[in-house]
């Protein structure tokens, strides 16, 4: 079986099963063995965390590209187009190369389906995408690949990486409870699964319950753990900018003040500091000579679609894929700090399995907001607003986001802003409208 065009190849990928009942890396390892182990020759920075993974990858990509390197990035989910998940120096994998790679792996997938029929069958959708990424980066000879975990860590298909240059754990918060557990300790156990023997680990601000688990795993693996309390530090700088964040950073022999990001949001200060720390660790390994001018340029250039992203100026429309409680909490802090003198109109839609009741409750506590709950065509059931809001009079309902937008534009002033948030799938749908 061979596919004739890109659409057929994409349909094949999306047609595969999403999850298996029993988590294992054995199937992925066998898959890669049959493909010639393309991952074995790659130098990788491995990134996990409940929130902040994508932005951290974006900062790392710019920092590495500033060194003149050929940098592969693997992220999920996609916001605009499937190909954006696999990029080299910000260029998405071309359709023809993706088609060729899919046709290359199809016979092996078919073989595994037969061989593993008595188990749970051949590779899942994400295992196939991961294999395509490893093949592409191997063929294209990237200098470094920055690889984002899909879900968790321990049993994620990216976790076949045996000797990462550095492992990164951005945050630990509640998400994917069915797969990762209900406690922060359980979730941290999965994230800590990417920690490898004698390989350094950088973490962001992690809750104590989760930190204990990560520290224990690092000790077991004899992995040096770099934390914001002991090895690097950052704080909000006194300098103010109209958009973005500014931090003072210190760590790994470097002090750099007024380091500016173009990404807005409290969480971006931490993401930038975590990414810079990971980069500096790799720089020391490679004996690169880095300077503050290159670092400033890279951090300021980093962009990430759907993360407090301004897609319209008049009126100011911001998109943020805050798809869990911790991310909504960060949005609330950003609104209180940066937009306390403006009225914020919020349009939100969330998947039913993402604690929507708690997320809407947090939004409804913001003083200077009007909230519209809505729905969209999600890949899984979408939360019904009336079912998950305690005081429905505080949250208005619109049958779709376009209806809410029309209502808002009719009543808002020039200084007000519109924030569209919730599921990344929802944000992706809206983003197409504004930017296509």
């Amino acid at each position: 079986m061979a596919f004739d065009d890109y659409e057929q190849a994409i349909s094949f990928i999306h047609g595969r099963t999403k999850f298996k009942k029993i988590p294992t890396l054995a199937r992925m390892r066998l898959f890669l063995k049959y493909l010639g182990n393309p991952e074995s020759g790659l130098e990788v920075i491995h990134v996990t965390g409940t929130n902040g993974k994508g932005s951290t990858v974006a900062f790392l990509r710019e920092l590495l590209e500033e060194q003149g390197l050929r940098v592969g990035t693997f992220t999920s989910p996609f916001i605009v187009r499937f190909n954006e998940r696999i990029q080299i120096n910000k260029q998405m994998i071309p359709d023809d190369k993706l088609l060729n790679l899919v046709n290359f792996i199809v016979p092996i997938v078919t073989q595994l389906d037969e061989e593993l029929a008595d188990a749970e069958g051949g590779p899942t959708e994400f295992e196939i995408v991961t294999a395509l990424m490893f093949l592409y980066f191997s063929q294209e000879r990237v200098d470094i690949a920055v690889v984002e975990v899909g879900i968790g860590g321990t049993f994620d298909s990216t976790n076949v990486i045996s000797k990462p240059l550095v492992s990164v754990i951005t945050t630990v918060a509640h998400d994917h409870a069915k797969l990762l557990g209900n406690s922060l300790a359980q979730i941290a156990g999965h994230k800590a699964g990417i920690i490898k023997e004698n390989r350094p680990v950088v973490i962001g601000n992690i809750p104590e319950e989760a930190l204990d688990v990560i520290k224990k795993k690092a000790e077991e693996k004899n992995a040096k753990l770099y934390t914001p309390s002991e090895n690097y530090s950052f704080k909000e700088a006194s300098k103010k900018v109209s958009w973005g964040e500014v931090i003072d950073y210190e760590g790994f022999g470097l002090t750099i003040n007024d380091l500016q990001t173009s990404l807005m949001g409290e969480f971006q200060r931490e993401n930038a500091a975590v990414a810079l720390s990971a980069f500096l660790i790799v720089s020391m390994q490679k004996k690169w000579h880095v300077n503050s001018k290159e670092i400033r340029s890279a951090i300021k250039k980093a962009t990430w679609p759907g993360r407090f992203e301004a897609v319209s100026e008049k009126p100011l429309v911001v998109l943020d894929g805050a798809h869990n409680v911790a991310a909504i909490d960060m949005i609330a802090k950003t609104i209180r700090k940066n937009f306390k003198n403006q009225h914020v109109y919020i349009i939100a839609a969330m998947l039913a399995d993402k604690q929507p009741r708690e997320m809407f409750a947090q939004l409804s506590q913001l003083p200077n907001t009007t909230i519209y709950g809505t729905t969209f065509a999600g890949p899984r059931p979408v939360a019904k607003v009336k079912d998950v809001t305690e005081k429905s009079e505080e949250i208005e309902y619109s049958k779709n986001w376009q209806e809410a937008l029309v209502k808002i534009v009719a009543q808002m002033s020039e200084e007000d802003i519109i924030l569209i948030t919730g599921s990344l799938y929802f944000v992706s749908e809206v983003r197409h409208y504004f930017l296509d």
Side-chain angles (χ1 to χ4, degrees), residues 212-380:
D212 290 342
V213 175
I214 292 168
K215 281 182 175 178
K216 185 177 178 184
K217 176 63 80 170
E219 286 173 12
E220 287 174 9
K221 295 289 186 181
N222 196 32
K224 172 65 177 169
L225 185 65
Y226 295 91
T227 72
S229 57
E230 296 178 13
N231 306 101
Y232 70 95
S233 63
F234 65 96
K235 63 180 181 180
E236 185 178 5
S238 55
K239 179 182 176 182
K240 302 300 176 192
V241 290
S242 58
W243 191 267
E245 302 293 334
V246 190
I247 64 169
D248 294 336
Y249 175 93
E250 187 173 350
F252 306 95
L254 176 76
T255 300
I256 183 164
N257 295 327
D258 296 334
L259 185 59
Q260 183 181 340
T261 80
S262 297
L263 291 166
M264 171 75 87
E266 294 240 332
F267 44 92
Q268 298 300 356
R269 299 200 289 268
E270 181 175 339
N271 294 340
V274 169
L276 179 52
S277 299
F279 167 74
L280 291 171
I281 288 168
V282 175
S283 299
M284 291 187 292
Q285 291 173 6
K286 300 292 185 183
K287 296 183 169 55
W288 294 334
H289 175 71
V290 299
N291 62 60
S292 58
K293 183 180 178 183
E294 291 169 346
I295 290 170
R296 288 184 189 281
S297 172
I299 294 296
K300 193 170 183 180
K301 274 195 290 190
T303 59
W304 196 242
R307 299 314 195 280
F308 225 89
E309 177 188 20
V311 292
S312 167
E313 287 188 14
K314 291 185 179 179
L316 178 58
V317 179
V318 174
L319 306 183
D320 194 283
H323 59 289
N324 53 40
V325 172
I328 289 287
D329 183 51
M330 284 297 187
I331 275 196
K333 287 179 180 176
T334 300
I335 289 173
R336 285 192 170 101
K337 175 176 175 285
N338 296 88
F339 303 102
K340 59 184 177 225
N341 297 322
Q342 294 144 282
H343 196 83
V344 182
Y345 290 89
I346 299 174
I347 304 173
M350 296 141 186
L351 293 174
D353 60 0
K354 290 281 190 169
Q355 295 181 287
R357 187 182 301 276
E358 291 85 348
M359 292 163 77
F360 273 112
Q362 279 181 292
L363 290 174
S364 66
Q365 290 168 14
L366 289 165
N368 56 327
T369 56
T370 301
I371 303 165
Y372 289 82
T374 189
T375 187
F376 68 105
R380 303 191 300 279

Side-chain angles (χ1 to χ4, degrees), residues 105-298:
I105 69 165
V106 163
I108 295 166
V109 172
T110 303
Q111 180 182 345
L112 285 168
D113 281 342
E114 293 172 0
E115 279 187 27
L116 303 175
D118 292 337
E120 289 191 89
T124 65
E125 177 182 5
F126 192 69
E127 286 167 349
I128 286 172
V129 179
T130 303
L132 292 170
M133 173 269 296
F134 283 136
L135 279 168
Y136 182 57
F137 290 166
S138 176
Q139 290 177 3
E140 296 292 321
R141 300 180 183 279
V142 299
D143 295 310
I144 288 182
V146 186
V147 174
E148 178 189 320
V149 165
I151 294 176
T154 302
F155 295 110
D156 188 79
S157 59
T158 64
N159 204 31
V160 293
I161 298 161
S162 58
K163 293 182 179 178
L165 294 170
V166 60
S167 300
V168 180
I169 304 174
T170 58
T171 55
V172 176
H174 292 284
D175 202 3
H176 299 293
K178 286 183 180 177
L179 295 169
L180 305 181
N182 292 308
S183 74
L184 290 181
Q186 287 175 310
I187 295 166
H190 285 276
K191 308 292 185 195
I194 72 164
I195 298 174
K196 300 300 192 310
E197 198 78 35
N198 295 311
R199 307 311 299 161
V201 188
V202 176
I203 62 172
N205 280 320
I206 306 284
E208 198 65 38
E209 180 187 349
L211 183 59
D212 290 342
V213 175
I214 292 168
K215 281 182 175 178
K216 185 177 178 184
K217 176 63 80 170
E219 286 173 12
E220 287 174 9
K221 295 289 186 181
N222 196 32
K224 172 65 177 169
L225 185 65
Y226 295 91
T227 72
S229 57
E230 296 178 13
N231 306 101
Y232 70 95
S233 63
F234 65 96
K235 63 180 181 180
E236 185 178 5
S238 55
K239 179 182 176 182
K240 302 300 176 192
V241 290
S242 58
W243 191 267
E245 302 293 334
V246 190
I247 64 169
D248 294 336
Y249 175 93
E250 187 173 350
F252 306 95
L254 176 76
T255 300
I256 183 164
N257 295 327
D258 296 334
L259 185 59
Q260 183 181 340
T261 80
S262 297
L263 291 166
M264 171 75 87
E266 294 240 332
F267 44 92
Q268 298 300 356
R269 299 200 289 268
E270 181 175 339
N271 294 340
V274 169
L276 179 52
S277 299
F279 167 74
L280 291 171
I281 288 168
V282 175
S283 299
M284 291 187 292
Q285 291 173 6
K286 300 292 185 183
K287 296 183 169 55
W288 294 334
H289 175 71
V290 299
N291 62 60
S292 58
K293 183 180 178 183
E294 291 169 346
I295 290 170
R296 288 184 189 281
S297 172

Side-chain angles (χ1 to χ4, degrees), residues 356-358 360-361 364 385-395:
R357 187 182 301 276
E358 291 85 348
F360 273 112
S364 66
V385 178
K386 290 177 182 176
D387 292 346
V388 298
T389 52
E390 301 293 344
K391 299 178 181 178
S392 55
E393 69 270 12
E394 292 182 3
I395 297 173

